[in-house]
Amino acid sequence: QVQLVESGGGSVQAGGSLTLSCAASVKLFTFNAMTWYRQAPGKQRELVALLNSGGSTKYADSVKGRFAISRDNARSTVYLQMNSLTPEDTARYYCSVERLGVDFWGQGTQVTVSS
């Protein structure tokens, strides 16, 4: 079983920055992919950023150039650095990892961006 705990969310003004953290209960090298998703009220969940075991990344078009996913293997933590935030980034952000074909999810952390 894998446990994920997100943190770092909060309220920020447009143009500001936040860094989300996702602490895993097992070593990151056991995961095939580590992903950040978000879901805003009334909207479908969307993939924000993905980092695979080979180090390749993928970003939603809406966050390219503003967000960056990274990992710290020693801390078993995945990060999402978010810059130049806009009100459209307001959502609950979830960390997910895939291990041996099984997806695990955290409880999410809320990000609210005011104009």
Side-chain angles (χ1 to χ4, degrees):
Q1 190 72 2
V2 175
Q3 270 129 26
L4 303 171
V5 179
E6 299 103 328
S7 62
S11 296
V12 64
Q13 288 194 325
S17 299
L18 284 173
T19 299
L20 306 184
S21 300
C22 173
S25 60
V26 299
K27 294 294 186 185
L28 297 185
F29 70 80
T30 66
F31 305 141
N32 293 324
M34 294 154 279
T35 310
W36 285 97
Y37 289 86
R38 66 186 181 187
Q39 187 165 20
K43 294 188 177 181
Q44 288 190 331
R45 184 176 61 198
E46 65 170 335
L47 184 149
V48 176
L50 178 148
L51 174 62
N52 69 18
S53 57
S56 297
T57 58
K58 176 182 176 180
Y59 295 94
D61 287 343
S62 60
V63 308
K64 281 180 182 175
R66 300 189 298 123
F67 290 13
I69 188 171
S70 63
R71 65 187 175 197
D72 184 331
N73 292 334
R75 290 181 167 83
S76 296
T77 300
V78 181
Y79 300 98
L80 183 68
Q81 174 67 45
M82 307 186 295
N83 299 320
S84 302
L85 286 162
T86 73
E88 288 67 37
D89 296 315
T90 294
R92 191 163 185 85
Y93 286 71
Y94 297 88
C95 174
S96 177
V97 298
E98 186 265 311
R99 183 190 194 198
L100 301 177
V102 178
D103 293 326
F104 298 90
W105 293 84
Q107 81 290 350
T109 186
Q110 179 67 34
V111 172
T112 302
V113 184
S114 58
S115 57

